[in-house]
Amino acid sequence: MLSLTQEQIGSFKSFIDSHDYFLIAGHKEPDGDCISSCLGMSYILNHFNKKYSLINSGPFKRSEIKCFSPLFSDQKPSLSGKQNPALLIVDCSEHERLGDIAAGLENLDTFIVDHHKTSDAKGKESIIDPSAPAAALLVQQLFEALVGKPNPEEAHALFFGIATDTGFFHYLSQKDSSVFESAARLTEAGVNPRSVYQEISDGKPWNTRKLLAILLDRAKRYCGGKLALTFEEQADTRRYGQDGRDSDALYSLMLATEGIEAVVFLRQESDVKCTAGFRSLNDCDVSVIASKFGGGGHKNASGASIEGRLEQIIPRIVQEFEKVL
């Protein structure tokens, strides 16, 4: 992970100084890193006595972030009477990934902080570092540079985001020593890593375990056994619901299987659309494959929304993986 330059920090500070009211937004269907990055931005603005609103299209499906839902509005507040309004986007770069709240935000002065490999700031002011394993790490650097040491509440929120996007540090390599240094500073500020781990991993709904069993039973191997693929049908969603899904456990179990280098999880969201999650180990760059289906993300974790039905999409995805595995 690269350290932010003084130029990047100065650019962000100038943006904050030149506006009086901010909308802070992250991608739809947020995860822990998205929520933590938004909260981290709000803490920075608090220290500079700036007004803001936290907005997110939701839904807050993940059990570990549901407690944060009341802090966010799923409606864009009126900007009437707001002086010098601006938009801060974290953990994504594209307005369309904001979901329903994106309408009408395109013309606002915008600053983007993101870490996705496939990010495209499209001429907006931005800090984008694909080497950072979590957007919360970039927000932490901004906070420490502009404000100083966070209090325990602020540190806890930032640590939560880092922990969720790194699989509680499981996904890091020898190149990521600075991430542990950042986490150490947050623990020194008052974070209890054990309690954060429990927040992330405990309290999963029973129905997610039942669904997990079905998905594992349905999984098939392709590409000489290197690719594992499974899917959720609309009937599964109707039976087990959409809330509290635990796809992270699914990816973890399948990637821990001997010979598996990549995992695909497909969900038939409607009669004409599927969502796809891609995960991989080591050198398999799933962001390249996701981009072929209109998606993107990180080298080892990406996603896409794909028009069509499972029986049409599965052969196309397998065909792409056959080129790289």
Side-chain angles (χ1 to χ4, degrees):
M1 184 183 72
L2 303 174
S3 296
L4 296 185
T5 66
Q6 288 301 314
E7 182 180 358
Q8 289 174 312
I9 295 167
S11 174
F12 178 77
K13 179 61 164 56
S14 295
F15 186 85
I16 297 300
D17 288 341
S18 60
H19 299 85
D20 299 313
Y21 174 79
F22 298 84
L23 297 177
I24 305 174
H27 58 79
K28 63 183 179 180
E29 295 192 17
D31 56 10
D33 187 30
C34 175
I35 295 304
S36 293
S37 299
C38 288
L39 292 176
M41 282 296 186
S42 75
Y43 300 149
I44 293 173
L45 295 179
N46 280 335
H47 281 274
F48 288 102
N49 297 313
K50 298 288 186 176
K51 302 295 183 181
Y52 62 86
S53 295
L54 292 162
I55 56 175
N56 193 284
S57 292
F60 284 63
K61 294 180 180 179
R62 296 171 178 263
S63 57
E64 67 270 22
I65 65 168
K66 285 186 175 180
C67 61
F68 298 109
S69 178
L71 301 177
F72 291 78
S73 172
D74 60 1
Q75 303 291 324
K76 186 190 77 173
S78 172
L79 297 179
S80 177
K82 304 295 185 184
Q83 297 295 318
N84 300 318
L87 174 64
L88 293 172
I89 299 178
V90 295
D91 202 29
C92 73
S93 301
E94 302 81 18
H95 277 77
E96 54 268 25
R97 286 207 66 211
L98 299 180
D100 293 339
I101 61 171
L105 299 180
E106 298 87 351
N107 296 325
L108 283 178
D109 286 347
T110 302
F111 199 104
I112 295 169
V113 176
D114 191 18
H115 70 129
H116 290 93
K117 182 179 178 181
T118 52
S119 290
D120 182 6
K122 298 179 181 178
K124 302 290 186 181
E125 294 188 76
S126 64
I127 295 173
I128 297 177
D129 179 9
S131 72
L137 282 159
L138 302 175
V139 177
Q140 179 186 353
Q141 288 190 60
L142 288 171
F143 186 99
E144 290 172 338
L146 298 175
V147 179
K149 182 178 179 180
N151 64 37
E153 177 186 356
E154 295 163 340
H156 183 98
L158 292 167
F159 190 98
F160 181 88
I162 296 167
T164 54
D165 243 30
T166 62
F168 215 86
F169 309 101
H170 286 174
Y171 305 147
L172 301 180
S173 70
Q174 69 274 17
K175 300 177 182 179
D176 297 311
S177 60
S178 62
V179 178
F180 292 97
E181 294 169 359
S182 297
R185 293 196 300 273
L186 295 176
T187 60
E188 291 170 358
V191 173
N192 183 338
R194 179 183 298 176
S195 67
V196 175
Y197 180 80
Q198 291 172 334
E199 287 178 42
I200 295 171
S201 59
D202 292 354
K204 304 299 184 184
W206 175 254
N207 66 304
T208 67
R209 297 307 183 239
K210 302 290 285 185
L211 178 59
L212 181 61
I214 292 172
L215 298 177
L216 289 171
D217 183 62
R218 190 177 285 160
K220 292 185 178 181
R221 300 178 76 163
Y222 302 86
C223 304
K226 296 179 181 180
L227 171 67
L229 184 149
T230 191
F231 55 87
E232 178 182 328
E233 298 176 333
Q234 287 178 283
D236 301 321
T237 307
R238 287 191 292 269
R239 181 175 182 181
Y240 295 104
Q242 298 187 40
D243 294 337
R245 287 167 170 160
D246 196 6
S247 55
D248 291 339
L250 174 68
Y251 294 128
S252 179
L253 286 168
M254 297 177 79
L255 284 172
T257 304
E258 183 180 10
I260 297 295
E261 296 182 18
V263 173
V264 176
F265 172 37
L266 291 165
R267 182 182 297 119
Q268 188 77 57
E269 299 283 1
S270 69
D271 290 339
V272 296
K273 186 179 73 172
C274 290
T275 54
F278 304 89
R279 299 293 186 274
S280 67
L281 300 172
N282 303 321
D283 296 330
C284 181
D285 190 343
V286 292
S287 70
V288 174
I289 294 175
S291 67
K292 294 180 181 296
F293 295 92
H298 306 289
K299 175 183 176 182
N300 299 121
S302 293
S305 180
I306 310 171
E307 298 294 325
R309 296 194 58 80
L310 289 166
E311 59 269 21
Q312 302 164 332
I313 295 170
I314 289 174
R316 293 169 55 199
I317 289 177
V318 171
Q319 185 178 39
E320 292 299 329
F321 273 97
E322 287 175 340
K323 300 175 182 177
V324 298
L325 290 178

